[in-house]
Amino acid sequence: MLILYYATNTCSLAAHIALEDAGADYELRRIDFTRTEQQSPEYLKVNSKARVPAMVTPRGILTETPAMLAFIAQSFPDAALAPLNDVFAFAELQSFNSYLCSTLHVAHAHRMRGYRWAYEASSFADMQRKVPESVSACYDLIETRMLKGPWVMGDNYTIADPYLFTLAQWLEDDGVKPERIPRVIEHRNRVAERPSVKRAIAAESAV
Amino acid sequence: MLILYYATNTCSLAAHIALEDAGADYELRRIDFTRTEQQSPEYLKVNSKARVPAMVTPRGILTETPAMLAFIAQSFPDAALAPLNDVFAFAELQSFNSYLCSTLHVAHAHRMRGYRWAYEASSFADMQRKVPESVSACYDLIETRMLKGPWVMGDNYTIADPYLFTLAQWLEDDGVKPERIPRVIEHRNRVAERPSVKRAIAAESAV
């Protein structure tokens, strides 16, 4: 049994969808960011980083989306969520996910979480002004160089797809013009149609 | 044959050390950041992200340090650079590396590369002021919660060790007080003593 700690409208949706894709036996535990539950003493015992997602496994607790996604793919090989027997293809997939966490998600985070990296309100406002440019640059690269289509890695749906789908929920709010990235938008629509994705979103909306 | 594109004083040292640890057959190609060679048309054909490291393999080009490190570990299993037959332990290792790329390295980058996320000189200066605090917070977490010792993942040296070692080269310049993180410093010294690390550093210094 796995337990996924998540918060609505965060990147934890990616791992949540992957658990649905995998047919995993898991429980959801919601962390309410509006009540800053991620900083409660109870949650800090689960994840001292005060972030989501965190996943309790029989062996211990995992954090960091790319690691959790690869863990889900390797733990449920029958779901074929990653090219587990092809070292290069697996590395390409991991490279994509690493870019999402360390570049795209980070660029996005400067819109609402500038306090992580600066002190002044004027800096936060400046960071917010740059987000449309920096996030658009990431999506341009994904659109033209990285997204193979129809799925991120080509013919097969993998753990990269729910991750891109999850971050792509925020692109309009980040000021990215959807018309400049038609393949990313088409991919987002394609992923949205999957039953596993609908189930995950319904479960997070139901609380 | 592998080709590693690297630049001095960057995170590409981690993959370079791992290639030495693996006993890989590889060639080094230096990208000179002082001449902005990372933005040359030739290099952009290798890596359109205009960053290092990039690694040319017989199957294609890989970027993103965590993905490259896992690729090296999986491609050279005899070197035992990752717990390849233990899905949970491998995920823990990947979680550590993901934290380094998406949180520690990102916090550090606000000292010199604020232009990625803001426009104004005043914002860059503000970001620089925050670096000692934000980077120290990362190292506090690594010191107290993440670094198992003697190696990052415990008894066995893995691909997490050259990665932490590489980023830890910069901590004094980031304003982190070494005396607050004795275990990280001890780890850095331990890694520095390895012949593979000495060879990689000597090769980068020799150019």
Side-chain angles (χ1 to χ4, degrees), chain A residues 46-122:
Chain A
V46 174
N47 184 5
S48 49
K49 296 171 186 167
R51 305 261 182 106
V52 291
M55 191 162 66
V56 182
T57 83
R59 292 272 301 279
I61 294 170
L62 290 176
T63 56
E64 305 294 335
T65 293
M68 288 170 58
L69 291 174
F71 174 79
I72 293 167
Q74 292 188 323
S75 297
F76 300 92
D78 292 349
L81 295 172
L84 299 176
N85 298 314
D86 182 332
V87 166
F88 180 77
F90 184 67
E92 275 197 308
L93 168 56
Q94 292 226 102
S95 174
F96 186 89
N97 284 352
S98 192
Y99 181 75
L100 294 194
C101 83
S102 63
T103 305
L104 173 56
H105 195 163
V106 167
H108 158 79
H110 284 75
R111 179 159 63 84
M112 303 286 283
R113 315 219 186 267
Y115 55 82
R116 288 180 183 164
W117 304 291
Y119 293 110
E120 305 292 338
S122 59

Side-chain angles (χ1 to χ4, degrees), chain A residues 118-149:
Chain A
Y119 293 110
E120 305 292 338
S122 59
S123 305
F124 305 157
D126 186 20
M127 290 175 182
Q128 288 178 345
R129 280 194 299 276
K130 182 112 186 185
V131 164
E133 180 184 325
S134 59
V135 175
S136 293
C138 294
Y139 278 112
D140 287 350
L141 201 66
I142 293 169
E143 174 82 10
T144 60
R145 305 274 184 154
M146 296 168 68
L147 173 56
K148 296 184 181 180

Side-chain angles (χ1 to χ4, degrees), chain B residues 14 18 66 68-73 81-82 90 93-94 97 157-164:
Chain B
M68 289 169 58
L69 291 174
F71 174 80
I72 293 166
L81 295 172
F90 184 66
L93 167 56
Q94 292 226 102
N97 284 353
Y157 176 91
T158 69
I159 45 171
D161 294 295
Y163 199 10
L164 177 59

